[in-house]
Amino acid sequence: MRLIQFYTSDKQRAVAIVNSADSVTVLHSVSSVYQLAQLALSNQLSLQQQSLALKSDTTLSYTDIIQQQRLLPPYDHPDDAAHLLITGTGLTHLGSADTRATMHAQTSGKADSELTDTMKMFKLGVEGGKPAAGQQGVQPEWFYKGDGSIVVAPGAALTSPAFALDGGEEPEIAGLYLIGPQGQPYRLGFAIGNEFSDHKTERQNYLYLAHSKLRPCSFGPELLVGELPADIRGHSRIIRNGETVWQKPFVSGEQNMSHSIANLEAHHFKYRQFCRPGDAHVHFFGTATLSFGDGFETQAGDVFEIGAAPFGQPLQNTLAIDNDVSVQVKAL
C-alpha cells in the first residue's frame, strides 16, 4: 500500500490510497497521515488496516493532483512543524565510502592507523552494522537537518541559501515515524527522498558536515506502508532546460547497506529526547550516489528527479538560489 497527502480542489487537506499512476482513492474522516496513524494506534490497528477501514467511494485523478501542484509531503505534523524532526545517518551503504573518500581525498588500502575518520567509520559499519537479533550494533554517523519547516513538497523548489557553496541532490530512503502516547516509536513506512546538501562546504573539512546538512529537503510523493524491500534499484537524474544532463542508477535496501534498518533506528531512538509522545520523525538512511562525486555542477533551475519502482511516482524538485539576506543579532 502507498499513501499520499494532498490538497483537494477546494484547498482542503486529504489523504488517499494510490491505486495506479493515475488513480487515488480518498480516505474519509482524516485529513493527514499523522491523524490516520494516531487513529490506528487508538484502534489497535496497523496503518494499512486503518487505511482500508476509511476507504471511501471517491476516486480522483492522480495526474491532475500532480499537474496542479496539489501534492503535500506524504507525512508531516499538521499542527506544529517544530514537532517534526528531520535527521539522518551517513556512511551506511556499501558504496558510500567511495564518494565520501573522493571528497575527503582518502584512499583505502591503508592500515587502520592511517585511515581518515571517514574510512574508520565506514569500516566499523561494515564489521558491526548488522548485529544479530538482541545484540547492539555499532553506531552510525548521525546528523540533524532541521524541523518540519525545512520540508519542501514534491514538485516545489529546493532553495539553497545565498551563502551556500553548492546545492546537490542526495537520493535516499527515509523512515517515517510517530512517537506513541507512552514514548514508543512506531514506523509508519518509508519514502524516497532528496536529502539535499552542500557538498563543497563538507569537502572543505569533514567537521563542516553539520553545516552542510542544514538545508531544505524533500521526500515522497508516496509513503510506502510496510517493510522495506531488501534490494531497491532506482534512478537519480538532473534535468536542465528539458534535457537530462546527468543521471545514474542507485541502489538501497539492506542488501546494499552496511547497516541494518533496525540498527539505524536503535541508535536514533535510544535518545530520550527523540521519544517525546506526539512527535513525528523523518530519518534519512544515506546514499552512495551523488552527482557531486562525478564532478557535476548544479545550477539554479535544474530539476532533480529521484525514483524507484516500490515508491510509485518519482520525486521531482527544482533547484533555486535564495537572495542574499544577512541576519544581525540585536541586544535586548
Side-chain angles (χ1 to χ4, degrees):
M1 175 182 284
R2 300 193 304 273
L3 302 173
I4 63 167
Q5 293 191 131
F6 66 102
Y7 284 119
T8 63
S9 56
D10 58 352
K11 307 296 184 182
Q12 300 300 308
R13 287 181 58 117
V15 180
I17 297 172
V18 177
N19 303 318
S20 68
D22 187 44
S23 172
V24 299
T25 298
V26 181
L27 303 187
H28 66 76
S29 304
V30 292
S31 59
S32 69
V33 169
Y34 182 90
Q35 184 182 9
L36 176 69
Q38 293 279 21
L39 193 59
L41 277 179
S42 177
N43 292 332
Q44 298 185 331
L45 297 173
S46 70
L47 192 64
Q48 180 166 334
Q49 290 170 332
Q50 187 64 72
S51 299
L52 292 174
L54 299 181
K55 194 173 181 180
S56 74
D57 296 327
T58 303
T59 300
L60 301 177
S61 168
Y62 195 1
T63 302
D64 287 349
I65 293 171
I66 295 171
Q67 292 181 346
Q68 294 167 12
Q69 296 186 318
R70 291 192 278 121
L71 281 170
L72 290 165
Y75 186 50
D76 61 0
H77 195 298
D79 301 319
D80 186 354
H83 284 279
L84 171 62
L85 298 181
I86 316 296
T87 54
T89 48
L91 295 172
T92 54
H93 285 64
L94 294 174
S96 58
D98 295 338
T99 300
R100 189 73 72 84
T102 299
M103 286 165 44
H104 297 165
Q106 168 65 48
T107 58
S108 57
K110 293 186 177 183
D112 283 359
S113 60
E114 299 179 88
L115 295 177
T116 63
D117 287 344
T118 293
M119 296 304 292
K120 289 177 182 177
M121 179 71 77
F122 177 73
K123 190 169 182 287
L124 285 171
V126 170
E127 294 173 350
K130 292 182 175 179
Q135 301 295 313
Q136 185 173 21
V138 68
Q139 294 185 119
E141 176 190 53
W142 183 95
F143 59 85
Y144 171 75
K145 280 196 72 69
D147 63 19
S149 65
I150 69 161
V151 177
V152 171
L158 285 165
T159 302
S160 186
F163 58 78
L165 303 180
D166 169 57
E169 86 297 334
E170 293 208 14
E172 303 190 20
I173 291 166
L176 282 52
Y177 305 88
L178 172 67
I179 310 303
Q182 306 304 317
Q184 169 66 48
Y186 292 92
R187 187 195 321 115
L188 281 60
F190 302 89
I192 203 76
N194 186 343
E195 194 251 297
F196 192 67
S197 300
D198 184 342
H199 303 106
K200 286 186 179 180
T201 291
E202 181 188 350
R203 184 175 61 181
Q204 290 180 324
N205 188 307
Y206 77 97
L207 294 177
Y208 282 156
L209 174 71
H211 286 280
S212 76
K213 295 298 185 182
L214 293 174
R215 301 292 186 270
C217 67
S218 188
F219 57 93
E222 302 177 23
L223 187 168
L224 175 65
V225 178
E227 296 299 318
L228 186 70
D231 183 27
I232 294 170
R233 308 275 164 160
H235 72 269
S236 179
R237 65 173 59 109
I238 298 174
I239 302 165
R240 181 177 295 165
N241 298 323
E243 296 185 3
T244 298
V245 290
W246 179 89
Q247 65 179 337
K248 205 167 191 177
F250 74 89
V251 296
S252 193
E254 287 194 2
Q255 181 176 312
N256 304 296
M257 297 172 67
S258 52
H259 287 263
S260 65
I261 298 298
N263 190 53
L264 299 179
E265 292 173 336
H267 283 294
H268 177 67
F269 290 110
K270 69 184 180 183
Y271 296 102
R272 289 184 181 272
Q273 63 262 42
F274 295 153
C275 295
R276 184 169 53 191
D279 277 4
H281 287 251
V282 174
H283 191 74
F284 285 94
F285 294 129
T287 187
T289 305
L290 308 173
S291 65
F292 182 81
D294 289 344
F296 186 85
E297 293 275 348
T298 59
Q299 298 178 7
D302 285 351
V303 176
F304 301 116
E305 180 180 284
I306 298 168
F311 297 94
Q313 292 285 351
L315 173 66
Q316 286 194 339
N317 299 95
T318 302
L319 173 61
I321 308 297
D322 201 2
N323 295 324
D324 189 8
V325 178
S326 60
V327 176
Q328 295 184 346
V329 176
K330 296 182 179 181
L332 183 62

